[in-house]
Amino acid sequence: MSPTSLVLNVLWIVFGGLWMAAGWLLAAVIMAITIIGLPWARSALTIAVYTFLPFGHTVVDRESGIGSGPLGCLGNFIWLVLAGWWLALAHLITALGLAITIIGLPFAWAHLKLAGLALWPIGKDVVTT
């Protein structure tokens, strides 16, 4: 991890990253408890880690495999109904609070990207930049 990414990640944790990563982790635990939600739990856990340390990583579409076909679309729709909308709403509220200040603008932008990811997470991979 580059020094710039390290500094940004520490500031991110202070300004909402820890709270939102906990939200993603809670969604993963709830999905895992249901057993039926295990595929969503894996995606939510991956994104919880990404939400905790987003700088130095990016999200890309998975070309093929699990979550890239029609079943992935159905899975994303189920996710949206069960947990995606409230995670996206939490990211939006946090982004609005951070966008008030100039210093918070990069973090607000990151929360907006995560809000979009919260709506449709299956079929995505987190990669190092």
Side-chain angles (χ1 to χ4, degrees):
M1 184 180 304
S2 71
T4 305
S5 293
L6 179 64
V7 169
L8 287 172
N9 280 323
V10 169
L11 290 172
W12 170 262
I13 290 168
V14 171
F15 293 113
L18 181 63
W19 171 254
M20 290 310 305
W24 278 96
L25 187 59
L26 176 65
V29 168
I30 290 171
M31 292 295 173
I33 288 172
T34 66
I35 303 298
I36 295 171
L38 282 175
W40 295 283
R42 182 183 178 276
S43 290
L45 187 60
T46 301
I47 297 171
V49 172
Y50 173 65
T51 302
F52 188 66
L53 300 170
F55 295 99
H57 298 90
T58 191
V59 176
V60 295
D61 289 327
R62 192 176 298 143
E63 293 296 323
S64 62
I66 298 172
S68 61
L71 287 177
C73 186
L74 177 65
N76 274 321
F77 182 73
I78 293 169
W79 168 264
L80 175 68
V81 171
L82 296 177
W85 68 271
W86 62 266
L87 282 167
L89 182 64
H91 278 295
L92 270 170
I93 291 168
T94 306
L96 288 173
L98 288 169
I100 293 171
T101 66
I102 292 175
I103 295 172
L105 283 175
F107 304 113
W109 180 249
H111 275 292
L112 289 177
K113 291 194 299 186
L114 284 164
L117 183 61
L119 295 174
W120 215 253
I122 298 173
K124 307 283 186 188
D125 282 326
V126 177
V127 295
T128 303
T129 54

